[in-house]
Amino acid sequence: MSNSLKASTTGLEIVDKARQRLGWTKTSTARWWQDAHTSKATLRRFWQGDRIQKEIFIAICQAVGISEWETISDSSDIQLDVTTPFIDWNEAPDIESFYGRNEELSQLEEWINNGCKLINIVGIGGIGKTSLALAIADRMQSKFDCLIWKSLYNIPSLISLLDNLLNSFNQSAVNNIQKDTFKLISYLQQHRCLLILDGLDAVLSNSELTKFIQESSLHRHQSCIITTSREKQNSLEANTKTVCNLTLNGLAKTEALNLFKSRGFTGKELGLSALIQLYRGNPLAMKLVIPLIESVFGGNVAAFINQNTIVVGDRLRVILKQQFQQLSGLEQDILYWLAIWQEPISFCRLQTHLLLSVDPAMVLEGIMALEKRSLLEKWNSEQEPAFTLQPLVMKVATDELVENAVQEIRQVVRTNDIHYFQILRTHWLLRPGTDDIAGDRILNQLCEKLYPVYGATLPQILNQILPLLQNQSPLAIAYIACNISALINRNN
């Protein structure tokens, strides 16, 4: 008996269903090849229909719960004419699990089969853009002569990207953008390649590099480039035959429940549906909050929900803060106001609360820019659309507002210079005309941050700020006095 085996077509279909039940990808779930005591490369060969060592073949099947490995193997001696594609996955991350997304995968597959040359997968941090790109690459790799994965977080310039890609194709670069671009396009014309560029938002400031990626669809070639980004690109018309955008939203309820079941939740726990809605089906956010629910609340989801709070894991917080810091001043102002209101607000109402008279067109552009980054939620009503923030974004924006407000107060106390007031000047922490729970929450959070610095002297410290506002113009004072007075009342 041969000491090597290969999977039959029917066998691969059985294994495919087994790994989907576990939420594993074909080749990017590290646990699979680790449990089988093999490598990612060998697992790829298994999926390509290549012969691999018998013991490893059996272990791959057993890792996904298939004990009758004989039903998977192809016992015939007929060798299939399988052309192994050239694959460079060195920069592709390993993912723990992948659930659902069947509709999105089908859409991506349809676009690729119909000759789409550039596909942009867009969505908020943690929503699963990279995982989806890995999944479609797993599914489609046999349709291509070569598959290359590159992380744009490590690419500083266009010349670096061209050099990197040409090296992957065993082509020599000459450090000339025009010549290297010609060589790369020629290769994409001669070979059907699937090129994945992960993290387009990392190079948005590099107009030369992003222009090259966006204009790749204008060249005649048989390849496909997939990008992932937290921000939509408007340079080229999308959803045409050659350029397509896929905005990725959260997991559907059924898919999210499967994620929780894989981590020991039965799906019957009270509060799971509310938890999924609270995190808007964001896979990373839900994975990060599960350990907290298990350790602090003993796995009681309802008890966590009853705390009326949202927890953002450090990993996701870093991603969202990076995105927040890339916003313009007006875009940050809009986010802060939406964080203060904590409920949908119409464009007209938002416009009236901006301290400076801003051209409505600029405000609309700011709202559109935030929508492009998947930071806003739009609520349609009979009167006019209203806007609010996703709960995760609301939490991070509120924390940023409080942290910056603390720094402003400390700077003014240290220097007696009210020019350090920015957010506390332009934003009223209590929703205008109200004394509500949302405003109380922000003020309480601000006091909690200030108390460790000033202790019991905090009311006196705050009272020392009010005289600094005397003889100042109304525009210079704006909301400062209201905010400081509200803080003083909170501490008396």
Side-chain angles (χ1 to χ4, degrees):
M1 180 182 293
S2 173
N3 196 38
S4 65
L5 293 173
K6 65 178 180 179
S8 65
T9 302
T10 302
L12 288 176
E13 292 174 355
I14 295 172
V15 177
D16 195 39
K17 291 179 180 178
R19 64 95 186 168
Q20 288 183 40
R21 286 193 293 270
L22 293 172
W24 291 1
T25 61
K26 284 185 176 180
T27 59
S28 297
T29 300
R31 181 178 171 184
W32 195 349
W33 69 77
Q34 289 170 356
D35 285 358
H37 302 289
T38 186
S39 65
K40 183 189 290 190
T42 302
L43 185 57
R44 290 199 192 102
R45 290 177 57 214
F46 171 87
W47 281 108
Q48 291 163 187
D50 293 346
R51 288 187 173 276
I52 62 175
Q53 188 177 341
K54 180 179 177 180
E55 290 76 11
I56 295 177
F57 182 97
I58 295 172
I60 287 174
C61 295
Q62 291 177 338
V64 289
I66 299 174
S67 57
E68 298 179 353
W69 54 268
E70 295 91 345
T71 62
I72 307 302
S73 65
D74 184 353
S75 57
S76 68
D77 293 329
I78 301 174
Q79 298 295 318
L80 298 176
D81 182 16
V82 179
T83 301
T84 303
F86 170 72
I87 299 176
D88 179 0
W89 287 77
N90 293 334
E91 296 184 26
D94 298 329
I95 59 174
E96 179 185 357
S97 57
F98 181 81
Y99 291 93
R101 301 298 194 192
N102 292 324
E103 183 177 337
E104 291 89 344
L105 286 169
S106 296
Q107 179 64 83
L108 291 172
E109 186 172 3
E110 178 183 338
W111 284 339
I112 292 172
N113 288 334
N114 289 339
C116 187
K117 298 177 182 178
L118 177 61
I119 298 174
N120 303 302
I121 302 176
V122 182
I124 195 172
I127 206 67
K129 302 179 293 295
T130 299
S131 296
L132 181 62
L134 282 165
I136 192 62
D138 271 339
R139 177 182 288 198
M140 299 292 292
Q141 61 179 282
S142 62
K143 306 292 184 182
F144 290 87
D145 301 326
C146 57
L147 189 154
I148 307 292
W149 183 289
K150 293 297 176 185
S151 171
L152 293 179
Y153 295 105
N154 305 318
I155 304 292
S157 64
L158 175 56
I159 199 71
S160 297
L161 176 63
L162 293 170
D163 179 68
N164 210 306
L165 291 173
L166 289 172
N167 284 336
S168 294
F169 295 134
N170 294 321
Q171 303 285 308
S172 58
V174 295
N175 291 326
N176 179 286
I177 289 179
Q178 186 174 0
K179 293 180 180 179
D180 287 343
T181 299
F182 177 79
K183 289 186 71 172
L184 178 61
I185 297 300
S186 296
Y187 193 91
L188 298 180
Q189 291 170 339
Q190 297 167 23
H191 305 272
R192 181 163 164 75
C193 301
L194 179 59
L195 175 59
I196 296 126
L197 302 177
D198 189 29
L200 181 61
D201 46 282
V203 296
L204 288 180
S205 59
N206 190 321
S207 58
E208 191 178 54
L209 200 155
T210 54
K211 182 180 179 181
F212 163 77
I213 295 172
Q214 292 158 354
E215 292 185 351
S216 63
S217 64
L218 301 178
H219 297 279
R220 289 184 176 275
H221 60 74
Q222 55 182 329
S223 300
C224 179
I225 299 176
I226 296 178
T227 70
T228 69
S229 178
R230 301 170 199 159
E231 182 174 346
K232 294 178 184 176
Q233 302 300 299
N234 293 328
S235 298
L236 291 175
E237 183 181 358
N239 294 323
T240 64
K241 181 177 174 58
T242 58
V243 182
C244 297
N245 279 339
L246 176 65
T247 299
L248 197 60
N249 298 312
L251 292 175
K253 180 179 177 181
T254 302
E255 299 168 350
L257 286 173
N258 287 335
L259 186 154
F260 283 111
K261 288 177 183 178
S262 72
R263 284 159 169 75
F265 293 86
T266 65
K268 298 180 181 179
E269 282 89 350
L270 294 174
L272 269 185
S273 295
L275 186 65
I276 294 168
Q277 174 61 20
L278 178 65
Y279 284 93
R280 298 299 192 267
N282 187 300
L284 179 59
M286 292 188 295
K287 290 176 184 177
L288 294 176
V289 79
I290 286 173
L292 181 142
I293 295 174
E294 290 176 333
S295 63
V296 178
F297 298 94
N300 189 328
V301 177
F304 171 75
I305 293 294
N306 288 338
Q307 300 304 308
N308 193 30
T309 188
I310 187 167
V311 175
V312 183
D314 290 342
R315 181 177 164 195
L316 185 55
R317 182 182 296 277
V318 169
I319 293 173
L320 292 176
K321 286 188 70 171
Q322 287 174 346
Q323 194 169 5
F324 188 85
Q325 290 163 0
Q326 294 171 351
L327 302 177
S328 69
L330 177 59
E331 290 162 6
Q332 290 186 8
D333 281 347
I334 293 172
L335 278 194
Y336 285 146
W337 273 116
L338 294 177
I340 292 168
W341 278 86
Q342 298 204 351
E343 66 180 27
I345 178 175
S346 68
F347 167 75
C348 291
R349 203 167 192 180
L350 173 65
Q351 175 80 8
T352 60
H353 293 307
L354 295 176
L355 179 63
L356 299 177
S357 179
V358 181
D359 183 349
M362 294 179 63
V363 181
L364 284 173
E365 288 176 2
I367 290 174
M368 289 175 60
L370 294 172
E371 278 195 291
K372 280 171 48 181
R373 295 176 171 90
S374 303
L375 296 175
L376 292 190
E377 288 186 348
K378 183 187 293 184
W379 292 61
N380 293 315
S381 63
E382 295 180 358
Q383 290 77 29
E384 60 177 312
F387 304 91
T388 188
L389 303 179
Q390 287 197 28
L392 286 168
V393 180
M394 185 82 73
K395 172 64 174 173
V396 174
T398 301
D399 290 349
E400 283 287 297
L401 186 155
V402 170
E403 187 61 37
N404 287 329
V406 168
Q407 296 305 318
E408 289 179 13
I409 291 173
R410 295 186 66 179
Q411 287 276 54
V412 171
V413 170
R414 185 163 54 247
T415 64
N416 288 330
D417 186 352
I418 68 167
H419 291 97
Y420 285 106
F421 280 130
Q422 296 181 28
I423 292 174
L424 291 176
R425 172 177 168 267
T426 57
H427 294 77
W428 193 354
L429 300 188
L430 282 174
R431 291 193 293 188
T434 68
D435 183 13
D436 55 32
I437 295 175
D440 285 348
R441 187 180 300 125
I442 292 176
L443 288 173
N444 288 338
Q445 192 174 341
L446 184 51
C447 290
E448 288 172 1
K449 294 285 187 179
L450 289 169
Y451 194 83
V453 180
Y454 299 110
T457 65
L458 179 58
Q460 290 83 0
I461 294 293
L462 294 172
N463 269 301
Q464 292 174 12
I465 294 176
L466 294 177
L468 301 177
L469 305 179
Q470 295 177 3
N471 301 321
Q472 298 288 337
S473 69
L475 185 59
I477 298 173
Y479 294 120
I480 298 174
C482 298
N483 287 321
I484 298 300
S485 297
L487 285 169
I488 292 171
N489 292 335
R490 188 71 48 190
N491 286 275
N492 284 334

